[in-house]
Amino acid sequence: MTTTDTLLPEAAGVTTVPGSLSSRPSLRETASQTVALAWRATKKMRRNPEQFFDVTLQPLLFTAMFTYIFGGAISGSVADYMPIIIPGILAQTAITTCMAMGTQLREDMDKGVFDRFKSLPIARIAPLAGPALADVIRYVIAATLTILVGIAMGYRPGGGVGGTLAAWALTIFAAWSLAWIFTWLGTVMRTAQAVQGTAMLIMFPLTFLSNAFVPEDTLPGWLQAFVKINPVSHVVTAVRDLMNDGAFTAEVGWALLGCAAVVVIFAPLAVRSYSRKM
């Protein structure tokens, strides 16, 4: 039996049952099927531990590198720069981690794994929502390591434990929400390489042309205009408000609203594109 065979839905708890494939699964069945396919995705992760390299090494490298390189130049000292950069790196690291979602989905589709799902009486969203749910593990690792590295370097969140946990949860939710954009890309692009290239063209400008690394008022006026409407900037500002002040400001509300809007728009698009191809 091959590795792929062991990862088919039957092995993950999704069984084929007689009946019409056109019947619509109930909400409870959809949730059960999503969890089963999320379990399948975690089995893939355990058998391919290299999937965790980016979420373990990137927080360590980015947090230390950006803090020590830019701290003195931007804020005068590393200690003064930490309240700016640590929340920024927290949001940036977890959000860029979600780009892998589309690439992995496209690879699965290219290998024919999703062809097997066509014969199963499962909700069309389950093969997409399952891996998206499992990928939360990667976001949790990235966000947790970033916070721990910042604390090890001397950062002390002014928002205390409550504010830090709220910022941690918001970052993970933002990463999961934005992953639906790349899930949709995975269903419309023809190759995994195309998905990866397009994802980088989208996310790197959004993350680096934001307020994650420098205060917004230090930027040229034309760039400030872009930063103010950049959704990543709203997430970063919300994370800073929570971690540094423990304050649930309007930016937190805007960040949550923006993340919810992304899911509402791109989750149906991904399901529709997936259904057409399958």
Side-chain angles (χ1 to χ4, degrees), residues 160-241:
V161 175
T164 301
L165 288 176
W168 175 83
L170 173 60
T171 302
I172 294 169
F173 177 62
W176 177 82
S177 303
L178 290 175
W180 281 103
I181 298 176
F182 305 110
T183 298
W184 172 68
L185 286 176
T187 63
V188 298
M189 293 289 177
R190 295 183 179 181
T191 65
Q193 291 81 2
V195 175
Q196 185 176 22
T198 304
M200 292 179 67
L201 286 176
I202 294 173
M203 284 307 300
F204 274 88
L206 287 178
T207 53
F208 285 96
L209 297 181
S210 69
N211 61 353
F213 304 101
V214 297
E216 179 183 309
D217 54 10
T218 64
L219 301 173
W222 62 270
L223 187 53
Q224 287 187 36
F226 176 78
V227 169
K228 288 179 180 178
I229 63 173
N230 186 343
V232 174
S233 295
H234 289 289
V235 174
V236 171
T237 302
V239 170
R240 285 193 182 125
D241 290 343

Side-chain angles (χ1 to χ4, degrees), residues 88-174:
I89 289 290
L90 174 62
Q92 186 259 356
T93 299
I95 290 173
T96 54
T97 303
C98 72
M99 293 191 300
M101 179 65 195
T103 304
Q104 294 168 4
L105 174 65
R106 184 69 256 177
E107 288 176 347
D108 266 357
M109 294 178 71
D110 290 341
K111 292 176 181 177
V113 175
F114 277 59
D115 290 337
R116 184 67 179 89
F117 296 155
K118 291 190 296 184
S119 63
L120 300 177
I122 61 176
R124 286 305 184 203
I125 195 174
L128 305 179
L133 179 61
D135 224 41
V136 171
I137 296 173
R138 301 175 71 250
Y139 312 147
V140 168
I141 294 173
T144 303
L145 284 179
T146 301
I147 294 174
L148 292 178
V149 171
I151 292 175
M153 293 170 59
Y155 173 58
R156 298 295 179 265
V161 175
T164 301
L165 288 176
W168 175 83
L170 173 60
T171 302
I172 294 169
F173 177 62

Side-chain angles (χ1 to χ4, degrees), residues 220-271:
W222 62 270
L223 187 53
Q224 287 187 36
F226 176 78
V227 169
K228 288 179 180 178
I229 63 173
N230 186 343
V232 174
S233 295
H234 289 289
V235 174
V236 171
T237 302
V239 170
R240 285 193 182 125
D241 290 343
L242 291 169
M243 290 192 73
N244 293 330
D245 304 318
F248 287 81
T249 61
E251 286 293 342
V252 177
W254 282 114
L256 291 172
L257 181 62
C259 292
V262 168
V263 177
V264 169
I265 294 171
F266 284 96
L269 286 176
V271 174

Side-chain angles (χ1 to χ4, degrees), residues 17-80:
V17 297
S20 172
L21 297 180
S22 61
S23 61
R24 185 184 297 273
S26 67
L27 182 61
R28 180 177 180 180
E29 290 171 337
T30 299
S32 176
Q33 293 157 7
T34 297
V35 171
L37 289 171
W39 178 250
R40 168 190 176 269
T42 62
K43 293 177 72 173
K44 285 183 60 181
M45 291 180 182
R46 294 196 297 270
R47 294 175 182 180
N48 298 280
E50 61 270 13
Q51 292 187 23
F52 293 102
F53 285 174
D54 59 336
V55 298
T56 53
L57 297 179
Q58 185 173 310
L60 304 177
L61 293 175
F62 276 21
T63 305
M65 181 174 63
F66 285 111
T67 301
Y68 288 120
I69 290 177
F70 297 130
I74 294 176
S75 298
S77 69
V78 170
D80 292 336

